[in-house]
Amino acid sequence: MKVEFAPLNVPWRRRAQTAAVAQWVFGFLALAQLCCGIFVILLLGDYWFISVFYALWLYIDWETPQTGGRRSEWVRKWVVWKYFKEYFPIKLVKTSDLDPRQNYLFGFHPHGVLVAGAFGNFCTECTGFKKLFPGMTPYLHTLSFWFRCPFLRDYFMCAGLVSASKKSVSHVLSNEKGGNIAVIVIGGAGESLEARPGSLTLNILKKKGFIKIALKHGAQLVPVFSFGENELFNQIGNPKGSRLRTLQESLRKLVGFTLPLFHARGIFQYSFGLMPYRKPINTVVGEPVTVKQNLNPTNEEIDQLHEKYLQALKKLFDKNKEKYGIPEHETLTFY
C-alpha cells in the first residue's frame, strides 16, 4: 500500500490543530489506562500515600458525577480546544432561542465513533455555546464507567461531563431556576457500530427512557443533529449477524460499552491511522418540543411524545441536509 506522507512545509497552525486532536483521541483511547497505571505505580512505590489519599478522596467524592459534576471554566476555555475546533472544523448552529428559565434535554444524533461534535460543542467553549445560548449550562452525560477511573474522572468533570445515570440526568433537570441542559447521545454505544461515512441510521425506536425523564421533570426536548459526525472515520465491516458484530454486541451487553474497529489517517501521513479525517462537523440545535410535566406518564403518553420527537428530528434533518452536503433523496433510518 502506498503511503501518502504529510508535506514538510505544513503551516504551524495546521500542525497545532493535528496535535490538539491527537491528544483528544489519546484521551479517549488510552488516558484511562494511563491514569490507572499511574495510580498503581504510586501505590506500589515511595509515593504510596498519594494513591491512598486519593482513594479516600474518591470514596468521599463518589457521588459528584451524579450530582452535577465539578466543571472548570478554565479547562473549558483552554487554547487547545480552539485548535481542536479548527481541525475539522466544528460549528454550532442555533435555530431557536432557549428560555433560561426552563430546563432542556438535548437529544444528540448521531453517536459517531468518538462523539467529536458533542464534545467540542458542549464540553468546551470553542464554538461559542455561552454566546449562542446565554444563561444556559450544558452537561454532557456519558457512561458511569469513566468516573470510576482515578484522576481521569476529575479531568472529565472539569470539562462538564457527568454520569449518564437516571439520578444524574434527574439532578440536572431538577434545577428550579432553570437554565440547565442535559445533553444525551441517544443512540449510545450500539449506534457507534453503525458509524461510517454515508450512514444515516439512528438507534432510537426503543430508546424511550429520555422521553420519560423529560416528562417527569417537564424538561423541553430539543433534537440536535450533528452533520458530518459519521464522516470522520472508516470502520471495519461488521454487518449484523457477523462474528465481529456478535462479539461487539456481547461486549456492550457485558460492560455497557463497545469499541468500533475504526481507522482513518495518521499524524504524519494520510493513508492509515486513528486520527479522524478533516471533515466539517455542523451541529444543528433544533426547536424545542414542548413538554408538560407529568410525574406519572403512561406508556401511551410516552409513546406519543416519542413519536412527536421523532417527527421533530426528521424535520430538522430534512430542512438542513442539502445545506450540509446530503442529497435531497437521502433520509434518516430509525431502528
Side-chain angles (χ1 to χ4, degrees), residues 107-119 121-122 140 183-204 223-232 281-284 309 313 316-317 326 332-335:
F108 185 92
H109 313 271
H111 184 286
V113 172
L114 296 181
V115 210
F119 181 87
N121 288 303
F122 305 119
L140 179 59
V183 184
I184 302 177
V185 184
I186 305 298
E191 190 177 276
S192 70
L193 300 179
E194 300 287 346
R196 49 178 48 86
S199 175
L200 297 172
T201 302
L202 301 182
N203 179 14
I204 192 172
V224 179
F225 197 89
S226 194
F227 292 89
E229 196 75 41
N230 282 341
E231 309 302 313
L232 306 182
I281 301 172
N282 293 282
T283 304
V284 185
Y309 177 84
L313 174 59
L316 175 69
F317 173 80
I326 298 177
L332 293 177
T333 300
F334 301 141
Y335 74 97

Side-chain angles (χ1 to χ4, degrees), residues 255-275:
V255 297
F257 71 94
T258 189
L259 183 65
L261 297 182
F262 64 92
H263 59 94
R265 52 157 289 187
I267 296 177
F268 303 110
Q269 45 75 30
Y270 304 136
S271 300
F272 58 88
L274 299 179
M275 288 285 290

Side-chain angles (χ1 to χ4, degrees), residues 37-52:
I38 291 174
F39 181 86
V40 172
I41 290 171
L42 290 173
L43 184 62
L44 299 178
D46 294 337
Y47 297 95
W48 57 268
F49 56 89
I50 295 178
S51 289
V52 171

Side-chain angles (χ1 to χ4, degrees), residues 221-263:
L221 281 167
V222 179
V224 179
F225 197 89
S226 194
F227 292 89
E229 196 75 41
N230 282 341
E231 309 302 313
L232 306 182
F233 298 96
N234 293 312
Q235 189 171 165
I236 293 177
N238 59 342
K240 292 182 179 180
S242 65
R243 291 183 179 181
L244 175 58
R245 186 61 168 262
T246 301
L247 179 62
Q248 290 173 320
E249 291 288 359
S250 298
L251 178 63
R252 181 180 63 83
K253 293 176 181 178
L254 181 65
V255 297
F257 71 94
T258 189
L259 183 65
L261 297 182
F262 64 92
H263 59 94

Side-chain angles (χ1 to χ4, degrees), residues 24-41:
W24 173 77
V25 172
F26 174 82
F28 267 94
L29 300 183
L31 190 55
Q33 297 91 314
L34 177 62
C35 287
C36 289
I38 291 174
F39 181 86
V40 172
I41 290 171

